[in-house]
Amino acid sequence: MKEQDLLDLGFNRYDVSAEESGDRPFFYFTYNITDELCLISTDNDEAEKRGWYVELFDYENIEISNLEDLKTLISILERNKLKIKKVIWHYGK
């Protein structure tokens, strides 16, 4: 997976300055599925060592490094997020 793949999927890049990090500047990417569910990439330093991968924010036991798997996951989550909104709207009336 490459940086451009993450951008093409709609991830946002976040740059952290040396002052903010207390060390060296770095950057990473995030994709918000909902307010509570976020995908976060490794930072660029780690990507140089192991390649780019994505985790569920605050859950470190799953690493997605295959672009097609990531596309599938995002597609499934986005499709079902919309269904949940429709169900809440329907039952909320």
Side-chain angles (χ1 to χ4, degrees), residues 10-88:
F11 279 73
N12 294 307
R13 178 177 162 157
Y14 290 93
D15 292 282
V16 179
S17 68
E19 293 79 26
E20 289 175 292
S21 74
D23 190 19
R24 299 178 359 175
F26 66 92
F27 64 91
Y28 62 95
F29 298 90
T30 65
Y31 185 103
N32 292 323
I33 303 293
T34 67
D35 290 341
E36 298 86 20
L37 182 60
C38 177
L39 302 173
I40 187 167
S41 77
T42 184
D43 64 51
N44 61 300
D45 288 337
E46 183 69 15
E48 287 180 22
K49 298 174 194 166
R50 297 186 47 212
W52 287 100
Y53 61 87
V54 171
E55 299 175 329
L56 295 169
F57 186 70
D58 280 342
Y59 295 94
E60 297 178 0
N61 294 327
I62 298 173
E63 293 180 356
I64 303 161
S65 57
N66 178 282
L67 179 59
E68 291 307 313
D69 287 348
L70 182 58
K71 286 179 181 180
T72 299
L73 176 64
I74 290 171
S75 176
I76 290 168
L77 293 172
E78 288 290 349
R79 274 196 322 268
N80 286 287
K81 177 180 75 172
L82 295 175
K83 286 181 183 178
I84 290 169
K85 283 185 180 179
K86 289 177 185 175
V87 169
I88 291 170

